[in-house]
Amino acid sequence: MPETVHEPVDRCVADILAQRRDDILLAYEQALTGGTASPPRQDAGPAREAARAILVDAHQRVLHAGRRAGDGSDPDEGAAGSRSALGYAATRALFRTTIEVVADGLPPYADRPGALALLAAAVHESISDRADIAPGTRSGLLEMLYRAHLDERRRVARELHDVIAHSVAVVLQDLELFTLHRERDPQRAEVKLRSGLDNLRGTLDMVRAATRELRHAPTQDGLVAALRAYLESDAFGRRTQLRVTGDEAALPPVLHAELFLVLREAARNAHVHGAAEHVMVEVDITSVRVWAAVTDDGLGFDPTALPAGTGLASMRERVALLGGVLEVRSAPGAGTTVRVEVPLDGGPG
């Protein structure tokens, strides 16, 4: 009986990429639209062509995988030469569907680990070399990031003015009264001097705390620890409750930091602008998304007329950068609820 001859792993993977390209593109489009029943997006055509170009390039890379070391072959020869504008979520979907479809088509005799490693490397390189974040998306994200950072600088300036500058003013007033009463009423002057020294020590503690916050990431010990430390500060005390479900280890570090800033701003608004007596902060983490809400019983406002200085625009931008959504529900005299939901399977695309 003649011995069965099996295809080399690179040829096997390349054949599946070529033969099942349309299957990969169909699965890719379904991943972008949420299923076959979803209507096609207006940008489905360009997205499909960009994905097709990447698959053609990946096919060439697989074919030339064994000949790259010094034989003069060009893995890009015959592949689409132009770069493709695809967002993060789109490239992630293309990578995943390509792996799934090719893995499903591998014959039983194939070295599956070797084949999938070869395929993953080729697709990754093709996406890295040929896929750009769409220019409009990039400029928009950069603008949002700039405004978010600018708003954070304004928040620091606001804290310096509202807290530290006020405390310095109190110290200055005590020292002026000490000077005024030093000759006529030494006992009263002594009281003001002691008060000024006490207030000055408190101000120094505030400056040191602000310096630590600027020097170190507030979420270096985790989102929950950062929220608890902030909500248990003198600004809130027992009037604030924190309820967390799920494992925060599922959150990437950037999400820890950005989500903390959003929730901190919402809690601060409830205290400063809403004059709330009670504030509830909730965080629910699953394997696919993180949901959070800040609810207060404060003065409330009309969400269609954003009040100046509340930072809601910056909060929306921070959440949008994470690919999520922020919702504000409020009415005059009815308190405020700020809800945030961010997916954990990809950023904006």
Side-chain angles (χ1 to χ4, degrees):
M1 183 174 180
E3 182 180 354
T4 302
V5 178
H6 297 316
E7 279 189 311
V9 65
D10 53 345
R11 173 59 66 178
C12 181
V13 172
D15 287 347
I16 298 173
L17 272 175
Q19 295 165 6
R20 301 197 62 180
R21 186 177 301 153
D22 288 341
D23 294 338
I24 296 172
L25 292 173
L26 178 60
Y28 164 69
E29 290 175 352
Q30 291 177 5
L32 292 182
T33 59
T36 56
S38 301
R41 305 187 316 179
Q42 293 182 350
D43 61 347
R48 182 185 178 90
E49 290 309 309
R52 182 183 293 275
I54 289 173
L55 292 177
V56 170
D57 184 40
H59 176 264
Q60 292 295 314
R61 290 175 185 272
V62 170
L63 284 178
H64 292 278
R67 293 180 288 155
R68 290 186 188 176
D71 68 350
S73 61
D74 181 5
D76 291 333
E77 184 181 356
S82 61
R83 296 178 67 84
S84 307
L86 287 179
Y88 173 80
T91 55
R92 182 186 179 99
L94 179 60
F95 186 91
R96 183 178 64 249
T97 54
T98 302
I99 299 296
E100 290 173 351
V101 171
V102 173
D104 181 65
L106 288 172
Y109 63 78
D111 173 15
R112 292 180 67 85
L116 295 180
L118 174 63
L119 174 66
V123 175
H124 173 74
E125 290 171 2
S126 182
I127 288 176
S128 299
D129 289 349
R130 295 183 176 276
D132 288 329
I133 296 176
T137 302
R138 179 193 287 116
S139 62
L141 291 177
L142 289 176
E143 176 66 19
M144 292 167 65
L145 184 62
Y146 168 76
R147 289 201 299 267
H149 287 174
L150 183 61
D151 189 79
E152 181 64 9
R153 291 167 65 91
R154 289 172 177 162
R155 184 198 67 80
V156 173
R158 187 170 61 237
E159 294 292 333
L160 290 173
H161 177 271
D162 294 348
V163 179
I164 296 178
H166 173 73
S167 182
V168 171
V170 171
V171 173
L172 181 61
Q173 183 182 50
D174 284 335
L175 294 180
E176 289 174 342
L177 290 173
F178 164 75
T179 302
L180 178 65
H181 299 300
R182 182 171 49 182
E183 300 294 335
R184 301 178 182 177
D185 192 344
Q187 186 174 0
R188 188 175 180 182
E190 181 68 18
V191 171
K192 290 300 177 183
L193 179 59
R194 291 177 181 176
S195 175
L197 291 173
D198 289 341
N199 287 326
L200 187 58
R201 294 188 186 96
T203 302
L204 181 59
D205 290 339
M206 293 179 190
V207 171
R208 287 171 174 165
T211 302
R212 284 195 301 270
E213 180 179 346
L214 291 174
R215 184 176 299 159
H216 303 290
T219 56
Q220 61 185 3
D221 295 324
L223 173 64
V224 176
L227 284 173
R228 183 173 291 114
Y230 180 68
L231 297 176
E232 290 178 354
S233 66
D234 293 339
F236 296 98
R238 297 180 180 179
R239 295 177 297 171
T240 299
Q241 291 179 278
L242 174 62
R243 181 181 301 157
V244 180
T245 56
D247 184 6
E248 69 172 306
L251 304 180
V254 65
L255 192 51
H256 280 242
E258 294 299 318
L259 189 58
F260 170 74
L261 293 175
V262 170
L263 298 180
R264 181 185 67 183
E265 185 68 16
R268 182 185 183 280
N269 287 344
H271 173 67
V272 175
H273 300 287
E277 293 187 6
H278 299 91
V279 179
M280 167 66 77
V281 179
E282 300 172 271
V283 180
D284 180 58
I285 304 167
T286 71
S287 61
V288 297
R289 63 104 178 102
V290 55
W291 175 90
V294 177
T295 304
D296 68 69
D297 60 356
L299 301 176
F301 62 96
D302 180 3
T304 62
L306 294 180
T310 60
L312 284 175
S314 175
M315 292 160 64
R316 291 187 189 279
E317 290 169 357
R318 288 185 183 278
V319 174
L321 281 170
L322 300 171
V325 293
L326 182 144
E327 178 188 14
V328 179
R329 294 185 180 181
S330 185
T336 300
T337 297
V338 177
R339 290 192 176 94
V340 177
E341 185 168 356
V342 178
L344 298 183
D345 61 345

